[in-house]
Amino acid sequence: MQNLIDRLLKGQTWREWIREMVRFCVVGLASYVVDVGLFNLLAHSGLIRLPGDQSMTAKIISVAVSVIFSWFINRVWTFDAQPDNTKTTEFVQFVLVNIGGMLIALACLGFSRYVLGLRTILADNISANIVGLILGTAFRYVMYRYVVFTPRHAEQEPASVEE
Protein backbone atom coordinates (compact mmCIF):
# COMPACT_ATOMS: atom_id res chain seq x y z
CA MET A 1 0.00 0.00 0.00
CA GLN A 2 2.81 2.43 0.87
CA ASN A 3 4.45 1.70 -2.50
CA LEU A 4 1.19 2.66 -4.26
CA ILE A 5 0.95 5.90 -2.27
CA ASP A 6 4.58 6.72 -3.06
CA ARG A 7 3.94 6.13 -6.78
CA LEU A 8 0.84 8.34 -6.72
CA LEU A 9 2.67 11.15 -4.91
CA LYS A 10 5.59 10.90 -7.37
CA GLY A 11 8.18 11.95 -4.80
CA GLN A 12 6.09 14.68 -3.20
CA THR A 13 5.07 14.97 0.41
CA TRP A 14 1.38 15.10 1.28
CA ARG A 15 1.77 18.81 1.96
CA GLU A 16 3.30 19.43 -1.49
CA TRP A 17 0.52 17.43 -3.12
CA ILE A 18 -2.21 19.35 -1.26
CA ARG A 19 -0.56 22.67 -2.27
CA GLU A 20 -0.52 21.49 -5.88
CA MET A 21 -4.16 20.37 -5.73
CA VAL A 22 -5.30 23.71 -4.25
CA ARG A 23 -3.43 25.62 -6.95
CA PHE A 24 -4.90 23.35 -9.63
CA CYS A 25 -8.39 24.11 -8.30
CA VAL A 26 -7.75 27.88 -8.22
CA VAL A 27 -6.47 27.83 -11.81
CA GLY A 28 -9.40 25.62 -12.77
CA LEU A 29 -11.84 28.11 -11.26
CA ALA A 30 -10.25 31.00 -13.15
CA SER A 31 -10.25 28.97 -16.37
CA TYR A 32 -13.89 28.09 -15.74
CA VAL A 33 -14.78 31.78 -15.50
CA VAL A 34 -12.96 32.43 -18.81
CA ASP A 35 -14.61 29.42 -20.48
CA VAL A 36 -18.18 29.98 -19.25
CA GLY A 37 -18.06 33.74 -19.65
CA LEU A 38 -16.79 33.56 -23.21
CA PHE A 39 -19.16 30.67 -24.05
CA ASN A 40 -22.21 32.65 -22.93
CA LEU A 41 -21.00 35.83 -24.61
CA LEU A 42 -20.51 34.02 -27.91
CA ALA A 43 -23.45 31.60 -27.76
CA HIS A 44 -26.23 33.61 -26.16
CA SER A 45 -25.53 37.37 -26.21
CA GLY A 46 -26.50 37.91 -29.84
CA LEU A 47 -23.43 40.11 -30.34
CA ILE A 48 -21.71 37.66 -32.69
CA ARG A 49 -23.06 35.22 -35.25
CA LEU A 50 -20.93 32.06 -35.39
CA PRO A 51 -20.99 29.46 -38.16
CA GLY A 52 -22.79 26.17 -37.58
CA ASP A 53 -24.52 25.48 -34.30
CA GLN A 54 -23.95 28.67 -32.29
CA SER A 55 -23.55 26.85 -28.95
CA MET A 56 -21.26 24.11 -30.26
CA THR A 57 -19.00 26.60 -32.08
CA ALA A 58 -18.98 28.92 -29.06
CA LYS A 59 -17.92 26.03 -26.82
CA ILE A 60 -15.00 25.16 -29.11
CA ILE A 61 -13.79 28.77 -29.09
CA SER A 62 -14.27 29.27 -25.33
CA VAL A 63 -12.40 26.07 -24.53
CA ALA A 64 -9.51 27.01 -26.85
CA VAL A 65 -9.08 30.39 -25.15
CA SER A 66 -9.36 28.92 -21.65
CA VAL A 67 -6.82 26.19 -22.53
CA ILE A 68 -4.14 28.73 -23.43
CA PHE A 69 -4.92 30.72 -20.28
CA SER A 70 -4.85 27.55 -18.16
CA TRP A 71 -1.58 26.24 -19.60
CA PHE A 72 0.23 29.48 -18.88
CA ILE A 73 -1.01 29.77 -15.27
CA ASN A 74 -0.53 26.06 -14.55
CA ARG A 75 2.96 26.22 -16.07
CA VAL A 76 4.17 29.15 -13.99
CA TRP A 77 2.30 28.47 -10.77
CA THR A 78 0.66 25.05 -10.22
CA PHE A 79 3.12 22.65 -11.85
CA ASP A 80 6.16 24.95 -11.79
CA ALA A 81 8.66 22.15 -11.19
CA GLN A 82 9.05 21.15 -14.86
CA PRO A 83 12.42 22.10 -16.39
CA ASP A 84 12.28 24.95 -18.92
CA ASN A 85 13.60 22.91 -21.83
CA THR A 86 10.40 20.86 -22.06
CA LYS A 87 7.93 23.69 -22.67
CA THR A 88 7.19 22.81 -26.31
CA THR A 89 6.52 19.13 -25.60
CA GLU A 90 4.58 20.05 -22.49
CA PHE A 91 2.39 22.55 -24.38
CA VAL A 92 1.62 20.00 -27.12
CA GLN A 93 0.68 17.41 -24.48
CA PHE A 94 -1.36 20.02 -22.61
CA VAL A 95 -3.28 20.93 -25.77
CA LEU A 96 -3.93 17.26 -26.57
CA VAL A 97 -5.21 16.61 -23.04
CA ASN A 98 -7.46 19.65 -23.29
CA ILE A 99 -8.80 18.52 -26.65
CA GLY A 100 -9.82 15.36 -24.79
CA GLY A 101 -11.43 17.50 -22.07
CA MET A 102 -13.19 19.62 -24.70
CA LEU A 103 -14.50 16.48 -26.42
CA ILE A 104 -15.96 15.37 -23.09
CA ALA A 105 -17.74 18.75 -22.68
CA LEU A 106 -18.89 18.72 -26.32
CA ALA A 107 -20.20 15.16 -25.92
CA CYS A 108 -22.24 16.29 -22.91
CA LEU A 109 -23.52 19.36 -24.78
CA GLY A 110 -24.24 17.37 -27.95
CA PHE A 111 -26.09 14.69 -25.98
CA SER A 112 -28.22 17.35 -24.30
CA ARG A 113 -28.97 19.20 -27.53
CA TYR A 114 -29.30 16.38 -30.06
CA VAL A 115 -30.39 13.34 -28.04
CA LEU A 116 -32.45 14.93 -25.28
CA GLY A 117 -33.57 17.89 -27.42
CA LEU A 118 -32.72 20.43 -24.71
CA ARG A 119 -31.69 23.72 -26.32
CA THR A 120 -32.19 26.37 -23.66
CA ILE A 121 -29.46 28.53 -22.14
CA LEU A 122 -29.89 26.65 -18.86
CA ALA A 123 -29.64 23.23 -20.53
CA ASP A 124 -26.55 24.30 -22.50
CA ASN A 125 -24.85 25.53 -19.34
CA ILE A 126 -25.73 22.48 -17.25
CA SER A 127 -24.59 20.00 -19.90
CA ALA A 128 -21.42 21.78 -21.08
CA ASN A 129 -20.36 23.80 -18.06
CA ILE A 130 -21.37 21.61 -15.14
CA VAL A 131 -21.56 17.96 -16.23
CA GLY A 132 -18.91 18.36 -18.94
CA LEU A 133 -16.73 20.41 -16.61
CA ILE A 134 -16.79 17.85 -13.80
CA LEU A 135 -15.96 14.94 -16.09
CA GLY A 136 -13.39 16.94 -18.07
CA THR A 137 -11.69 18.28 -14.93
CA ALA A 138 -11.17 14.81 -13.50
CA PHE A 139 -9.68 13.70 -16.82
CA ARG A 140 -7.44 16.78 -17.07
CA TYR A 141 -6.06 16.53 -13.53
CA VAL A 142 -5.05 12.91 -13.92
CA MET A 143 -3.42 13.62 -17.28
CA TYR A 144 -1.67 16.82 -16.10
CA ARG A 145 -0.39 15.10 -12.99
CA TYR A 146 0.91 11.92 -14.56
CA VAL A 147 1.63 12.85 -18.18
CA VAL A 148 2.04 16.59 -18.83
CA PHE A 149 3.61 18.04 -15.68
CA THR A 150 5.91 16.08 -13.39
CA PRO A 151 7.50 17.24 -10.14
CA ARG A 152 11.12 18.34 -10.54
CA HIS A 153 12.44 16.26 -7.65
CA ALA A 154 10.93 13.10 -9.16
CA GLU A 155 13.09 13.57 -12.27
CA GLN A 156 16.32 14.88 -10.77
CA GLU A 157 19.27 12.58 -10.58
CA PRO A 158 21.05 12.39 -7.23
CA ALA A 159 23.94 14.81 -7.15
CA SER A 160 27.34 13.17 -7.14
CA VAL A 161 29.99 14.50 -4.84
CA GLU A 162 33.27 15.18 -6.60
CA GLU A 163 36.43 15.25 -4.58
Side-chain angles (χ1 to χ4, degrees):
M1 182 65 160
Q2 185 61 39
N3 188 29
L4 175 63
I5 292 171
D6 291 342
R7 288 180 60 198
L8 291 173
L9 290 175
K10 295 186 75 174
Q12 288 180 306
T13 65
W14 280 106
R15 184 176 185 185
E16 290 169 327
W17 179 80
I18 290 170
R19 180 184 137 266
E20 175 183 281
M21 179 59 79
V22 167
R23 287 181 175 192
F24 173 78
C25 291
V26 169
V27 173
L29 179 61
S31 296
Y32 178 75
V33 169
V34 170
D35 183 11
V36 173
L38 187 56
F39 169 75
N40 281 290
L41 176 72
L42 296 173
H44 300 293
S45 71
L47 295 174
I48 299 170
R49 181 73 192 135
L50 298 171
D53 183 301
Q54 187 84 4
S55 291
M56 296 294 278
T57 304
K59 190 62 184 170
I60 292 168
I61 293 168
S62 70
V63 167
V65 170
S66 71
V67 163
I68 294 167
F69 170 82
S70 179
W71 174 77
F72 179 75
I73 302 301
N74 272 308
R75 178 69 174 88
V76 299
W77 190 51
T78 308
F79 300 101
D80 58 348
Q82 188 79 354
D84 286 343
N85 61 354
T86 63
K87 283 184 184 175
T88 302
T89 301
E90 176 188 279
F91 182 73
V92 170
Q93 290 173 334
F94 191 86
V95 168
L96 291 173
V97 166
N98 278 281
I99 288 171
M102 178 181 65
L103 291 175
I104 291 168
L106 285 172
C108 294
L109 180 60
F111 183 82
S112 174
R113 291 179 71 77
Y114 299 117
V115 175
L116 300 178
L118 304 172
R119 294 175 175 260
T120 66
I121 293 171
L122 180 62
D124 282 355
N125 278 285
I126 289 172
S127 61
N129 299 321
I130 295 177
V131 177
L133 171 83
I134 291 168
L135 296 175
T137 297
F139 171 77
R140 283 181 186 100
Y141 180 74
V142 169
M143 296 302 291
Y144 292 168
R145 175 84 169 109
Y146 297 102
V147 177
V148 179
F149 302 105
T150 56
R152 178 181 298 140
H153 54 280
E155 292 190 27
Q156 287 179 341
E157 296 293 323
S160 61
V161 178
E162 294 183 25
E163 296 184 33

